């Protein structure tokens, strides 16, 4: 395991889905910063499940308890550790999976790596539940960034066959990044179409994937450390740490493959005494370093592997093929809940890069 | 700058396009391994320019000189340093760029970060030329991996509007990964169509982007360290360090967004006493850990920013808009030369992950 | 703060003296190892205070609660986090110290570094109490090392003006490293003389320093990674992280300064088919790498800075000299309690170095 | 091997005693700093051998060639690499040592670690010669620190049975740190006594050890990152990377063991509007963090292991005892040449810690 990320702002995530608690330790948060706990709670509730029928029916009381690093709510300079107790434990749902791994899940590879001692209950350390402590750290980072005039927002741009409008990568504002209270998209039409995809999948005992777009505005130019700690590398390292992310593209991303330089190069111009670019195919990053334009990327999220439909798997003990039906309550689509996680991860990567400057 | 990558196999890349030399230091190569220098030379020549009219006319004598770490050609355990002297220096081509940054290039962001001291000649440390030492380190890693039965191959799957067949992600063999001697693709038809795209762009003083697919076969299951040092994170961190890479997807990648779990989950089955998957949408990685299937990813490469067509830029000294025509000889398409670089980067990431096991 | 140590076995220590809890996260403990909790508890109790009048009268219930990383008591591969709740909190003792820093303590330097937000109560993150979680991680490492036939022991060799016999660095055995149950020394005569020094200091409202010798036997040759991760560097980095350590010497250590090579060089000889050395001035380390002989070092521990005698200090708010009398209960000598801490730190450094091999 | 040190200022040292070249790569030197090459050359010449009969008769042309990282002599932001070509190669002197390792040297442990491929000639990567590139990096760091008003000086305080006066740890000035041009001590009396010890050892075909004291003045308070990156940890990690260092103490160091708190605690007082301490037993470091007083430490250097007197060793091939007489020219005492190395190492550690602040 290597559940540590960052250089000046260093986070270490611990816990398994069904361990007594999960949590995060954060080193390097600037001493003297006072955390707005109410705002942090509101941010965390965006990730919490059980709000409606597009997510799992499990209830998770994701209220962090800060064990260290604060005096009242102010960062004191020592490492911050926050934990979330695991109360909703139903381990017997997972007994069968020890022998019969879920297709698309880490059950099998974790078994190879850690042997029979691997904690398979709820996916162990591989569970999406581990994004809750990531959101605790990221939620604080978001508050610090806001104090610097940097705002990060994400929204769903695709679920299954349905797509939504992307941000305008040149002119996106904080208002453009506002999402609906009911669903992390920017219009009720999008919400309706996306919900339809999810409920259709759920009705079939299936799940569905999607894509999230994330944007950070207000980052000054000059942030990022090439060759291997450029902004793409930094964001890549943390975002691929979010379970289910399998693709990542910055700015024009995959479309660059079909472009010519005359169109893909973002022309510079002087705007109101500042140097800006007319287009933003680069997603705000040139040579791994921010150029002051909005930083934009998209991440593809694979469908939840835990589905109730019968699937082909194997019995590890008997080394023969076996049918599997996954029991328990699972999200038919993880994408909506992954939106704040993407913001949290981005905030950590950006704040760390700024502190490294 | 943070030009160091890796944990047990650690590489540090140094040099600027027009500095006296460029090079790489590698720590952690297993002592006792004898480098096949002829094979290494052949690998490096795949990256070298000047072979035909699809690449820059510059000649680069990319012959590495090993300063340390070897006794004759055998790794002795001390850090290996290899350098390539820079002989073909024409710095006056770049004088104008100090004031008038190339759109799409790091000229501007490096200037913000390092100030006027930044070495702009040839792109400095941001030059694609720095991939030569990456290939020296990666070329050795490839040889070591071959000794373990692990083979890595890459090919072009897209240039501009033309596309080629992808690998069969389930059954790809070493033979399937063989490329033409004249062009890093698998058929003359592909070569012809891709060359046409490049020469068309060149004729217009333009450049064109593309996409590379890379595959590693023979990696045992259990390699990769979640959450933040999983195989996607590790490959992401090094591949986004290759100049011009702006998108990265593993297995089904971006297509996962439109998939349902029942189709995207790779069913397990027992094949000849081994557990395999019937499909390979995951690209051989589950939960950040290899599952023994071929590891497959694709990376989007943006068009070379240096084009001879006139472009809109700015004068930094006068802070006003200015037209720019880039002089000098540049690749109209960097994609063919980036193919061995992708193999080298992957070899470093995979060998490091294996040594960390 | 940088409270993370290690490469393959990585520990992160969190908590302040008076925060809700203190704890440690450990990554890289080998999956499948079953922790002997009773043995761990016995080890931790060696560090606990309040046993007799040579230590502070405070009671600390140093019973760790494992939040993650275990299934029952077996390491599952995910990061292990253990916490110790802080129950005996008496913060009002420290109110004055915020303005008037204790000579010899981190009160003043932490204030410079972290500003007024620094958690001064009980010394905050600088408290010796933070060695409790170090002992949790080290206690597990000791158990794993024992399974490899590696044993680590430490004892007091000096307190104030009284000294004890050192280990025989060539022939030291596990039995030689056994200490009394009442005091971490090897004879009742030593115990009596050392206790006398401590109680004399206590009677005067003073404190006293000392020196600890630590030894590891059974480490195979070839462990350690020069230049900067040799065994001296590795042990140095963790041992200087124990509060109050101000000097460190390996083998002959400081005495090397007065030696000639003909005497200091440890002659090799073949003993029962194995290569050993006749003397062990090197402390078992040559060129940063173990040679198979006992690894021996000594660390000087400064007197506890918190003494009840009146001292000269300053008022930070008034920027003028001020007399200080430290209230509260403090150890007149930290040395006895630091003995298991030294073993724990050494175990972590040695196990990490072995895992890096 | 792990020849990389540092966090924001990262150095990687490469080369073997008899490889084509040795060198160093430095990442993180502040862009825009202009190196005074003449001053750097003068600093490096202090380490060079062959000046008189107290050091080896070998000539080393330690003139660094900068391959990258500079534009003319100004740091451009890219990694700096400097190499020193190895010209005076006489490898046949070392043929016997492959089978018959030198007592006190790394010959044997390197053989265990790297096998027969280890480059034994001249000690390979373990040679004191590798301190030359450390001095290149440190020499630049010293210049940068001087620009911040921070001065570092070291001197010999002991060789064999002879000792010299230590610095006054409270009031030491830049002038106090001035050393003789002929020998790194502060008075001709000390020089004479130390030279006598060295020539006496040399006459007997022997070698002798010593102790170096190093001091840094002008470091502001608040530098250092506890628990494991405090100033003692940082200096320990780099100084124990200098071959032959076996002991290290800060301020009162080992003497703390015999002290009482009432004497060892450094009383604070207000001096001319600044907070200082009346004594400086802490060596300027409290809780791992600088307090603004002079940072003072001493390092014990073991006698050169290569002596011409016959010694007891073993034949590795025959696994039996064997007599060894080391041929070739070796320093009878490495201590004088290690003085600038200590300054260089300290400069790197201090500058890195400041950049991490």
């Amino acid at each position: 395991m290597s559940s540590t990320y960052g250089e000046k702002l260093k986070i270490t995530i611990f816990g398994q889905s069904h361990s007594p608690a999960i949590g995060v330790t954060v080193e390097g948060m600037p001493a003297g910063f006072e955390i707005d706990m109410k705002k942090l709670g509101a941010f965390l509730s965006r990730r919490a499940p059980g709000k409606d029928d597009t997510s799992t029916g499990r209830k998770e009381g994701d209220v962090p308890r800060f064990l260290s690093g604060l005096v009242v709510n102010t960062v004191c300079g020592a490492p911050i550790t926050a934990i979330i107790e695991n109360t909703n434990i139903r381990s017997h749902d997972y007994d069968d999976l020890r022998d019969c791994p879920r297709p698309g899940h880490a059950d099998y590879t974790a078994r190879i790596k850690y042997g029979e001692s691997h904690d398979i209950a709820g996916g162990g350390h591989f569970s999406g539940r581990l994004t809750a402590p990531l959101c605790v750290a990221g939620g604080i980072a978001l508050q610090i960034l806001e104090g610097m005039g940097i705002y990060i927002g994400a929204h769903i741009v695709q679920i299954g066959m349905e797509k939504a409008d992307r941000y305008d990568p040149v002119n996106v504002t904080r208002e453009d990044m506002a999402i609906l209270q009911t669903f992390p998209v920017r219009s009720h039409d999008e919400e309706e179409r996306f919900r339809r995809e999810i409920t259709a999948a759920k009705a079939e005992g299936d799940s569905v994937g999607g894509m999230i777009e994330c944007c950070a505005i207000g980052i000054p130019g000059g942030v990022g450390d090439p060759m291997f700690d450029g902004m793409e590398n930094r964001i890549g390292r943390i975002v691929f740490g979010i379970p289910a992310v399998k693709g990542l593209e910055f700015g024009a991303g995959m479309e660059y493959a079909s472009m010519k330089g005359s169109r893909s190069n973002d022309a510079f111009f002087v705007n109101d005494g500042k140097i800006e670019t007319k287009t933003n195919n680069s997603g705000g990053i040139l040579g791994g370093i921010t150029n002051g334009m909005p930083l934009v990327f998209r991440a593809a999220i694979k469908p939840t592997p835990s589905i109730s439909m019968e699937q082909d798997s194997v019995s590890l003990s008997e080394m023969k093929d076996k049918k599997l039906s996954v029991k328990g309550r699972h999200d038919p689509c993880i994408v909506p809940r992954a939106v704040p996680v993407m913001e949290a991860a981005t905030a950590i990567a950006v704040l760390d890069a700024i502190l490294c400057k």
Side-chain angles (χ1 to χ4, degrees), chain A residues 86-158:
Chain A
N86 276 332
T87 51
N88 191 10
I89 297 177
R90 302 196 308 161
S91 295
H92 56 277
D93 279 358
Y94 299 90
D95 288 350
D96 297 345
L97 304 180
R98 194 172 292 280
D99 184 54
C100 184
R102 281 168 290 178
H105 209 284
D107 295 342
Y108 173 61
T109 53
R111 167 67 177 265
I112 304 175
K113 192 167 188 81
Y114 306 110
E116 300 206 8
S117 308
H118 170 60
D119 183 5
I120 202 155
H125 190 62
F126 295 82
S127 166
R129 178 143 176 71
L130 272 295
T131 57
L134 187 74
C135 282
V136 174
I140 302 171
L142 282 165
Q143 292 185 17
I144 294 175
L145 289 172
E146 285 195 19
M148 299 174 175
I150 298 169
Y151 299 94
I152 291 172
H155 65 133
I156 304 173
V157 290
Q158 184 179 351

Side-chain angles (χ1 to χ4, degrees), chain A residues 148-175:
Chain A
M148 299 174 175
I150 298 169
Y151 299 94
I152 291 172
H155 65 133
I156 304 173
V157 290
Q158 184 179 351
I159 285 182
M161 305 312 292
E162 292 291 340
K163 297 190 178 183
D165 286 342
R166 296 180 178 182
Y167 293 132
D168 170 352
V170 173
N171 298 307
V172 57
T173 65
R174 206 178 159 189
E175 289 66 40

Side-chain angles (χ1 to χ4, degrees), chain A residues 24-61:
Chain A
V24 64
T25 296
V26 188
E27 294 181 87
M29 281 288 180
F33 183 82
E34 187 180 350
I35 301 172
D36 182 333
M37 287 294 176
K38 199 172 159 189
K39 197 170 177 178
L40 180 63
F43 178 71
L44 294 175
S45 71
R46 285 178 49 201
R47 198 208 70 91
K51 285 175 298 198
D52 59 44
D53 62 354
T54 62
S55 69
T56 171
R58 279 179 288 117
K59 294 281 175 212
E60 294 176 6

